[in-house]
Amino acid sequence: RRDRDLARRRKAGARAALNALAGGCLAKGTRLSDPLPASPSPSDLDDAIRRAMGCHPRLLRLAAQLERRYATIDRERTAWWPD
């Protein structure tokens, strides 16, 4: 009985860690043994990226940082090498 309770707590902890890593996107009934969905086709890739970005705040924050850095590089490049 004690081993079973320990295994259940470990499973719950692993599920919580996986859900946190996925940005809280996993549905409550998701089983850890369920197969992953097939990879999206290239035409569905933009939709998949949009859904992932909306579901994971860290991705949004990192994308915004990347855009700011690209803008900074463009400004510096223009200042050094004007057209």
Side-chain angles (χ1 to χ4, degrees):
R1 176 165 163 77
R2 187 171 175 209
D3 291 337
R4 189 174 8 153
D5 291 340
L6 178 63
R8 284 182 182 157
R9 284 195 305 274
R10 284 186 178 170
K11 180 182 173 187
R15 184 185 306 271
L18 181 62
N19 198 24
L21 184 63
C25 294
L26 297 179
K28 185 172 178 126
T30 302
R31 296 177 50 105
L32 298 178
S33 60
D34 287 345
L36 295 174
S39 297
S41 66
S43 62
D44 294 336
L45 186 58
D46 289 336
D47 290 334
I49 290 171
R50 256 193 308 281
R51 283 193 310 270
M53 296 291 272
C55 191
H56 204 302
R58 185 172 183 205
L59 288 178
L60 288 172
R61 192 170 51 252
L62 291 173
Q65 284 178 0
L66 187 61
E67 288 298 321
R68 284 193 303 271
R69 288 179 183 173
Y70 282 141
T72 301
I73 290 170
D74 287 341
R75 279 194 310 272
E76 292 296 321
R77 187 177 290 142
T78 302
W80 281 93
W81 295 289
D83 288 337

